[in-house]
Amino acid sequence: MAATETAVQTFKNLINGEWVESASGETFTTINPANVKDSVGRFQASTEEDVIQAMEAAEQAFKTWRHVPPTKRAEILYKAADLLEAGLEQYAEELTREEGKTMASSRMEVKRSAQTLRYYASEGLNVSGETLPSDDATTFVYTRKEPLGVISVITPWNFPISIPVRKIAPALVTGNTVVFKPASNTPLIAYRLVEALHQADLPAGVINFVTGSASKTGVPLVTHSAVKAVTFTGSTGAGEKINRKVRLSTRVQLELGGKNPLIVMDDANIDHAVELAVKGGFELTGQACTGTSRVIIMDAVHDEFVEKLVEKTKQLKVGNGLSKGVEVGPLANESQLRNVLDYVAIGKAEGAELVVGGEQLTDGDYANGYYVTPAVFVGVAPDMRIAQEEIFGPVISVIRVSSFQEAMDIANDVEFGLSAAICTSESGRIQHFIQNIETGMVKINRPTTGNAYNAPFGGVKMSSTATYRESGRAALDFYTQIKTVYHGI
């Protein structure tokens, strides 16, 4: 049943520990992509004035937060994790309503976010410098790792709580303060994260939350004098704009697009390879930067693989993520739907053969949502746009090859380099793949999607700034700076 206008709750920004309305006095309403008649919530249409206030609050709070004992910071993250888990079912349902993914995926994301908070609560107690030998017996030389200051956190809509958590948790536990702007499609679950941290007694100004369009808030988020680092996940185009705007002294972490290949060799278990392709390409409706968008397959097993992939794809149930049995939800918004349908048309025009899917669903329960059937193209040439450009939807391009080296050349011949997988049991090929694939993450007999919260995440080439990694212990490096001390005795 569609929510009525009067039933829609209004959510506020959090600035300096207070829930406040935007200086603009205006709001925007988010909708359920499975049913556009269902309004999820009203949020503040923030302006540069709101962001500046948030920056000033974060800058002031940093003066005291940086000196809070690590155990106290950890205690707050542990408490916030408990609060997220206590509200798991509510938050998972809200996530599904505003983003479209299945309830199973939403539950997993909320639970993972709680686990990430606990992980960094623990790891924050291990941030340390080192002692160094000195030629001067009267001088003690050592290093300290210190927080940077104010961190701008700008996040996308596809993992609207897990990506913010893996940025915010290491930032806070190392003594930084945060100004956080989530994607405008999915601000509610981001609000719940901030709410949990606030209820866990995070001091005023340590985290500040503003919602609204990038066009109205983006400039001070990356150029304000208080900003010491910007961490952003999103499109490569938006990342390039941020990289051009930041000041020379501002540290930048950008995680961007992908065009991730799955190479299937002739010794592969074909049924398993199909499962990997479906999981990597169609789970989350293909809306993952690590999603499998290209399957590069040996000629000898091409036909068998395609036949099984098509059959498996036809069996996938598309629908509202709140409904049981649904495996593929709607696309997150109308722009995403148009983009996917445009690329399906481009693939056809380029001469690729669409063997299944790629159709918008508009009848019955699908009438008010952004639904499209998962698509598989065959006869794809490596230089086609559908094989080169990030689609960010449930579209797989199958590319036939005659040798392992040809497969490797094609896999590397894109501007992106985030994740890549191979399906084989031959150890020599596996080692060659690991050493020569141009990606930040390598998967052996596993889908291109998925990463452990205790392992580094990031890409190379146009998928990342390739400076500091997210996730795992390595993420802490981005949020700290080294101070070298020469202590005379």
Side-chain angles (χ1 to χ4, degrees):
M1 186 178 201
T4 61
E5 186 69 15
T6 55
V8 180
Q9 184 177 348
T10 298
F11 299 89
K12 297 180 179 180
N13 290 338
L14 181 68
I15 298 178
N16 201 27
E18 300 291 334
W19 296 105
V20 296
E21 295 180 352
S22 168
S24 71
E26 299 177 354
T27 61
F28 64 95
T29 301
T30 59
I31 60 172
N32 181 348
N35 176 11
V36 297
K37 294 183 178 181
D38 176 21
S39 297
V40 177
R42 288 195 198 94
F43 296 86
Q44 303 305 307
S46 301
T47 65
E48 291 189 2
E49 181 180 345
D50 299 302
V51 176
I52 291 169
Q53 290 176 2
M55 289 293 172
E56 291 172 349
E59 188 175 31
Q60 186 65 30
F62 176 68
K63 296 176 182 178
T64 53
W65 178 247
R66 65 178 303 180
H67 298 300
V68 170
T71 52
K72 177 61 178 177
R73 297 181 202 146
E75 180 183 312
I76 292 170
L77 295 192
Y78 280 126
K79 187 175 180 180
D82 291 342
L83 290 169
L84 285 184
E85 283 195 343
L88 177 62
E89 285 303 307
Q90 174 192 337
Y91 300 155
E93 182 175 338
E94 289 175 344
L95 200 169
T96 292
R97 280 183 64 212
E98 70 173 355
E99 198 276 342
K101 64 183 61 177
T102 66
M103 278 293 290
S105 294
S106 293
R107 288 190 189 97
M108 186 181 302
E109 184 171 347
V110 175
K111 188 170 183 179
R112 178 191 176 90
S113 298
Q115 292 170 334
T116 301
L117 284 168
R118 294 190 181 103
Y119 172 78
Y120 282 112
S122 175
E123 283 296 326
L125 304 180
N126 297 317
V127 176
S128 61
E130 60 181 343
T131 59
L132 301 165
S134 173
D135 287 340
D136 183 350
T138 65
T139 303
F140 176 38
V141 183
Y142 64 96
T143 63
R144 292 166 46 90
K145 287 189 176 179
E146 298 185 345
L148 301 176
V150 180
I151 313 294
S152 278
V153 175
I154 308 169
T155 58
W157 47 259
N158 59 329
F159 291 98
I161 183 168
S162 64
I163 289 178
V165 163
R166 76 185 188 207
K167 296 174 184 289
I168 291 170
L172 295 180
V173 81
T174 49
N176 299 280
T177 55
V178 169
V179 176
F180 170 34
K181 194 201 89 67
S184 294
N185 279 359
T186 53
L188 180 53
I189 193 63
Y191 175 96
R192 296 303 186 199
L193 168 61
V194 173
E195 182 181 52
L197 288 164
H198 182 64
Q199 291 176 353
D201 299 321
L202 193 67
V206 174
I207 189 165
N208 303 272
F209 173 75
V210 293
T211 57
S213 69
S215 63
K216 299 291 180 63
T217 61
V219 172
L221 276 170
V222 300
T223 64
H224 193 280
S225 60
V227 178
K228 296 300 183 286
V230 178
T231 176
F232 167 83
T233 299
S235 71
T236 298
E240 286 186 300
K241 290 178 181 178
I242 289 173
N243 205 40
R244 287 195 294 266
K245 286 182 179 179
V246 295
R247 293 159 22 122
L248 179 63
S249 59
T250 302
R251 191 172 288 186
V252 179
Q253 179 185 63
L254 306 175
E255 289 303 332
L256 311 170
K259 193 65 180 174
N260 313 292
L262 167 64
I263 295 177
V264 181
M265 299 306 301
D266 46 15
D267 69 327
N269 180 318
I270 298 303
D271 290 330
H272 182 55
V274 169
E275 292 291 338
L276 297 180
V278 169
K279 182 176 179 61
F282 299 145
E283 197 174 71
L284 304 167
T285 322
Q287 297 173 129
C289 55
T290 54
T292 303
S293 57
R294 297 179 294 156
V295 174
I296 303 169
I297 184 162
M298 293 292 288
D299 182 75
V301 292
H302 175 275
D303 292 349
E304 179 187 0
F305 175 86
V306 169
E307 181 181 352
K308 291 183 175 181
L309 177 61
V310 169
E311 184 59 32
K312 183 70 175 178
T313 302
K314 288 178 178 178
Q315 294 172 5
L316 294 174
K317 184 176 180 181
V318 179
N320 189 324
L322 296 173
S323 301
K324 289 184 179 180
V326 167
E327 298 164 284
V328 180
L331 291 157
N333 53 56
E334 186 176 6
S335 176
Q336 282 294 108
L337 175 64
R338 296 267 72 85
N339 186 65
V340 169
L341 293 176
D342 285 348
Y343 270 107
V344 169
I346 289 168
K348 291 178 180 178
E350 288 181 312
E353 180 186 356
L354 180 64
V355 290
V356 66
E359 300 173 342
Q360 183 179 1
L361 299 174
T362 58
D363 294 335
D365 293 339
Y366 300 116
N368 296 311
Y370 304 127
Y371 296 101
V372 65
T373 53
V376 175
F377 279 98
V378 299
V380 178
D383 60 350
M384 289 181 177
R385 288 181 61 189
I386 60 170
Q388 289 287 323
E389 300 173 11
E390 184 177 42
I391 299 174
F392 218 67
V395 180
I396 290 176
S397 295
V398 179
I399 303 171
R400 186 195 297 249
V401 295
S402 58
S403 71
F404 177 45
Q405 188 56 54
E406 184 185 6
M408 288 293 297
D409 291 343
I410 290 171
N412 285 331
D413 190 25
V414 292
E415 66 176 351
F416 301 105
L418 184 54
S419 179
I422 190 169
C423 200
T424 184
S425 59
E426 210 280 305
S427 60
R429 287 172 176 167
I430 290 172
Q431 288 305 310
H432 183 86
F433 179 73
I434 291 169
Q435 293 173 22
N436 294 284
I437 195 71
E438 297 170 0
T439 58
M441 293 177 291
V442 179
K443 304 293 191 74
I444 313 301
N445 296 314
R446 292 294 180 268
T448 59
T449 51
N451 65 289
Y453 59 79
N454 63 339
F457 175 93
V460 297
K461 300 198 288 191
M462 295 300 287
S463 289
S464 173
T465 42
T467 48
Y468 296 89
R469 287 291 187 244
E470 289 193 331
S471 292
R473 186 172 295 174
L476 297 167
D477 292 339
F478 177 71
Y479 300 99
T480 58
Q481 57 192 345
I482 294 173
K483 178 181 284 183
T484 305
V485 180
Y486 296 82
H487 189 160
I489 298 172

